Amino acid sequence: MNTLVIVLIAAVCLFAGYTLYGRWLANKWGIDPKAKTPTVAMEDGQDYVPTDGWTVFAHQFSSIAGAGPVTGAIQAAAFGWLPVLLWVIIGGIFFGAVTDFGALYASVKNEGKSMGLLIEKYIGKTGRKLFLLFCWLFTLIVIAAFADMVAGTFNAYTVKDGVTELSAAAQTNGAAGSISLLFIVFAMVFGVMQKHLHLTGWKETVAGLACTVAALAIGMAFPLVAGKDTWSYLTFAYIFMAAVMPMWLLMQPRDYMTTFMFAGMIIGAVLGVFVAHPAMNLPAFSGFNVGGKSLFPTLFITIACGAVSGFHSLVSSGTSSKTIANEKDMQKVGYGAMVLESLLAVLALCVAGAAASADGTAAVGTPFAIFSSGVAGFLEMFGIPVYGAQCFMTMCVSALALTSLDSVARIGRMSFQELFTVDDMEHAAGWRKLLCNKYFSTIVTLLCGYILTQIGYANIWPLFGSANQMLSALVLITLCVFLKVTGRENRTLFPPLIIMLCVTFTALVERVIALVKAYGAGTAVFLVEGLQLIIAILLMVLGVIIVISCGKELFRKKAGQETK
């Protein structure tokens, strides 16, 4: 089939889902444009910062559009392009967008509370502690997977016959790394300009574009050639800054600038498909069992963020809800950003399909490399120099992970703090104050994440997918309780909730069995299989306890007992 037809079908379905189902949910739940949102009532210049709706959308999309939609869709294509396409569209409209929108809505209606604090209110303190522990463990997995991915993308060296030497892509990778560092500097400059010069409208757009272009131009001219370890240290230094700095100074302006790059990447991919309209060379369906892995649950946990992601709800309730200045922006930010990410997953699938050989053999390389080289090829069709196109796309794919990394580091820090927070922190014990210190909690979180990077991205990804989808199920059941208690429609959340519980518990059980077999065969290494086994069992136990606690409250709570 022609990839152009696939993209058009996906775009029409996702747009229809946003305008019809998204609007129906907004009307059912109730949106009040005149209501005073948490960011307006509790502005503090740090986390609660009233922000223009499109800027919040840019933050939300940049944060959630991590490595998942590209990596997941391309890896899952082993089962064929048709099941991937169907799950991305159906999952995006009825699972992912609903979860993201619901988490944002519930948080805004509850003073911008994070998902952990919402669980405390509607489920209880024990449920909150368990959920926060689950979230913190999950953020460690995300930090480890994405940081390892970013460092590997910027790495300028390769090992050949036991000898370390410069790789063929050293110049391009070094330029992308240099651009990333400059992006941080220019983002902070742009943030100061936004705050003190009160930039809005076209002035904000021009300033943001100027900073983006400057970072790209200077970075390509002065590439920073370094090894993976060096880039790993620099990546962790950056996410430490992002986790502790005020939102307006680094994360928001960086996300705003990154959106221009993502827009260029998506437009380039779409135009490339429209102009070249390459054939989809991958088979439509490869079978229910491929390479020893069954379609259920592997397909669903592999695609991850392109269809549904629990991580998104942490962004919705952890950062975006604290910057929404008007409730009318919630559908655009919560539902809209997710369906756009689903479209990105479809584009990644089409690029991989075009890169495959005519006999259906998939292209060789990592999903990032396949997507990057494919879109770079499209950009070259429009007269963009090869070096410029390659640098731009390498930076884009790394930015997909970096923009999620800075958000998840902040969310991990906040989850760790909330684990030990008590109502009267002023008179709390010294050890408790230390654990709740934002600098100390950030260091602990990032240190644990760094230890997990030793497992390697390829080994972490299956665990990430399972934990991510389980988190979405836990968020869905919490939203069911919230909507019931506040007298709102919650029946549409039950099908995705039940399906995601079945998917995630099946995947985790399969993973644990595989790890135990590895130990039985004597091939397991503690720093790889051992850590995975410990985390997988912890996630399963926590998941079961939280589901039982939430389920009890769901049936116990009376409908409409609280008005919001």
Side-chain angles (χ1 to χ4, degrees), residues 29-31 100-109 330 482-483 488:
W29 292 346
I31 299 292
D100 295 6
F101 183 24
L104 180 66
Y105 184 87
S107 181
V108 170
K109 289 295 186 179
M330 287 196 287
F482 159 74
L483 293 171
R488 294 181 170 92

Side-chain angles (χ1 to χ4, degrees), residues 96-452:
V98 174
T99 307
D100 295 6
F101 183 24
L104 180 66
Y105 184 87
S107 181
V108 170
K109 289 295 186 179
N110 282 278
E111 301 175 335
K113 285 184 171 68
S114 67
M115 194 53 60
L117 293 175
L118 288 174
I119 285 184
E120 178 181 7
K121 179 176 180 179
Y122 294 104
I123 309 299
K125 288 189 175 182
T126 302
R128 172 207 168 200
K129 292 288 186 184
L130 293 172
F131 182 81
L132 287 172
L133 181 56
F134 185 98
C135 287
W136 186 68
L137 288 171
F138 173 71
T139 60
L140 300 185
I141 296 172
V142 179
I143 289 170
F146 286 14
D148 187 67
M149 201 179 295
V150 169
T153 301
F154 295 156
N155 181 24
Y157 294 92
T158 186
V159 178
K160 193 172 183 180
D161 298 326
V163 179
T164 301
E165 59 183 35
L166 282 174
S167 67
Q171 189 83 354
T172 301
N173 294 352
S178 185
I179 294 168
S180 294
L181 294 178
L182 288 166
F183 237 71
I184 298 168
V185 176
F186 279 106
M188 294 172 70
V189 172
F190 181 49
V192 172
M193 291 170 63
Q194 279 182 310
K195 185 173 180 65
H196 296 289
L197 299 181
H198 306 291
L199 298 179
T200 56
W202 68 270
K203 294 179 181 178
E204 183 181 41
T205 302
V206 170
L209 268 173
C211 289
T212 304
V213 172
L216 286 166
I218 298 172
M220 284 192 291
F222 301 98
L224 180 58
V225 176
K228 185 176 180 180
D229 288 344
T230 301
W231 282 116
S232 184
Y233 300 145
L234 289 172
T235 301
F236 274 89
Y238 162 66
I239 57 179
F240 174 82
M241 292 167 56
V244 299
M245 282 185 172
M247 287 281 293
W248 64 267
L249 182 57
L250 181 55
M251 284 183 63
Q252 281 187 342
R254 177 189 158 79
D255 289 342
Y256 187 88
M257 289 167 56
T258 303
T259 302
F260 291 123
M261 293 182 61
F262 286 171
M265 175 183 71
I266 293 173
I267 291 170
V270 171
L271 288 178
V273 169
F274 266 83
V275 174
H277 47 82
M280 169 58 77
N281 294 323
L282 292 171
F285 183 62
S286 304
F288 288 100
N289 194 295
V290 176
K293 294 182 179 181
S294 58
L295 186 143
F296 180 88
T298 307
L299 176 84
F300 302 94
I301 63 166
T302 301
I303 291 177
C305 307
V308 57
S309 169
F311 165 65
H312 296 181
S313 64
L314 301 185
V315 177
S316 295
S317 65
T319 54
S320 296
S321 64
K322 297 174 176 63
T323 57
I324 288 282
N326 193 308
E327 285 192 9
K328 66 181 176 60
D329 294 324
M330 287 196 287
Q331 182 191 350
K332 173 172 62 186
V333 173
Y335 202 101
M338 178 61 227
V339 292
L340 182 58
E341 183 177 8
S342 294
L343 181 61
L344 176 59
V346 173
L347 286 171
L349 174 67
C350 290
V351 169
S357 57
D359 63 358
T361 304
V364 178
T366 65
F368 265 11
I370 294 170
F371 182 70
S372 177
S373 60
V375 180
F378 289 152
L379 295 176
E380 290 165 25
M381 289 168 42
F382 303 112
I384 297 175
V386 176
Y387 178 62
Q390 289 176 343
C391 287
F392 177 74
M393 280 309 304
T394 303
M395 176 55 203
C396 281
V397 295
S398 62
L400 287 170
L402 276 171
T403 49
S404 292
L405 263 175
D406 52 26
S407 291
V408 82
R410 196 178 190 93
I411 292 165
R413 182 261 292 176
M414 293 166 68
S415 297
F416 188 86
Q417 286 177 294
E418 288 180 17
L419 264 173
F420 300 98
T421 300
V422 292
D423 293 335
D424 186 13
M425 282 301 297
E426 187 177 343
H427 300 98
W431 65 268
R432 191 179 292 276
K433 289 183 178 180
L434 175 65
L435 292 175
C436 292
N437 178 276
K438 73 175 180 179
Y439 299 103
F440 183 83
S441 56
T442 302
I443 290 171
V444 171
T445 300
L446 297 187
L447 181 61
C448 292
Y450 179 77
I451 292 171
L452 284 180

